Amino acid sequence: RALDAGCGGGYNLLLLARAGFEPGGVDIVQGDFRAARAIARENGIDIALAGGDLGALPFASGSFAAVTAVETIEHVFAEDRAAALREVRRVLGPGGALALSTPNHRSIVESGKRAIQRFPALKRLFPPMCYPAGDIPRAAYHPYRYHRPVPARELRRMLEEAGFRVASMRTLVFVWKTAPDALMPAALALEWALERIPGVRRLASTLLVLAERVESGK
């Protein structure tokens, strides 16, 4: 079984099913669940969906062999992230894998968002989802209003403190996930070429982390 944390409309659930997993999804916002079920039905796969907070997952310990979190951790309140990663470790079985992607804090895109944040006149030209949120009270929280990518070094530390071994951490140019299957090889080839231009990988849009659950004391 594999869990997609922050599953939204279920795109990653399709990929998990294609990879041979029994996919399940959890999201604090359940507005896209109807679409996720319809998409899964049209593609002939079974999915299980649950509403829940990443910091209090509604699953028994050791329930999953793998967890994915695609563009999710940056929407978790900064002070809640350590607890959320401990919860992910809890629901993973021994040696379970975590695949996590998040906007690259050093990317051109995120640097631009932080610049916009400093100039109120510019902020009016962009919707709230396009720039890092300012301080908001917890009662007013919504994941689409809170966007704070974690720097790579800080994310590594948090994962290790939560009980993970980081197997790899790299940046990549993220191709459009909505590209039709027929165009995906060309999109991946373009991605491959862009990442080999000097300096582009450092400023690329997405940070991808693969980590493994480790037992205490190892």
Side-chain angles (χ1 to χ4, degrees):
R1 299 174 66 204
L3 176 70
D4 187 35
C7 63
Y11 172 80
N12 206 45
L13 299 176
L14 298 180
L15 299 183
L16 289 171
R18 290 179 181 179
F21 288 99
E22 179 185 329
V26 64
D27 205 309
I28 195 171
V29 179
Q30 301 168 47
D32 291 331
F33 280 8
R34 182 177 180 182
R37 291 189 177 97
I39 293 169
R41 186 168 57 251
E42 288 297 318
N43 284 272
I45 68 170
D46 293 323
I47 61 172
L49 300 175
D53 191 323
L54 193 58
L57 292 171
F59 307 105
S61 298
S63 294
F64 301 95
V67 172
T68 56
V70 179
E71 312 298 292
T72 298
I73 192 69
E74 67 274 11
H75 298 297
V76 177
F77 255 93
E79 58 266 34
D80 296 342
R81 290 171 180 171
L85 292 175
R86 289 194 299 269
E87 269 291 272
V88 170
R89 182 188 181 278
R90 181 186 66 79
V91 301
L92 280 169
L98 168 64
L100 179 156
S101 76
T102 187
N104 176 21
H105 185 267
R106 298 191 300 183
S107 73
I108 295 173
V109 173
E110 293 303 322
S111 297
K113 290 177 181 179
R114 290 192 291 274
I116 291 171
Q117 187 75 355
R118 292 195 293 269
F119 297 98
L122 287 177
K123 285 176 63 176
R124 289 194 293 269
L125 301 177
F126 298 90
M129 285 180 64
C130 288
Y131 52 81
D135 291 330
I136 60 174
R138 186 175 293 272
Y141 169 79
H142 189 285
Y144 294 163
R145 296 181 60 202
Y146 190 89
H147 175 95
R148 290 185 181 177
V150 190
R153 183 177 298 179
E154 180 183 347
L155 183 56
R156 178 185 289 272
R157 175 188 59 78
M158 291 169 57
L159 285 164
E160 291 174 347
E161 290 179 354
F164 288 94
R165 179 184 68 83
V166 176
S168 68
M169 179 175 281
R170 68 185 183 95
T171 55
L172 69 155
V173 177
F174 203 93
V175 299
W176 286 336
K177 66 182 181 181
T178 53
D181 287 353
L183 297 179
M184 188 58 73
L188 291 173
L190 176 62
E191 178 185 71
W192 182 90
L194 288 172
E195 290 176 354
R196 278 150 183 79
I197 298 174
V200 169
R201 182 177 286 277
R202 181 178 181 274
L203 302 176
S205 60
T206 301
L207 175 67
L208 175 64
V209 182
L210 301 177
E212 179 184 5
R213 180 191 189 273
V214 295
E215 302 308 309
S216 300
K218 293 188 179 181

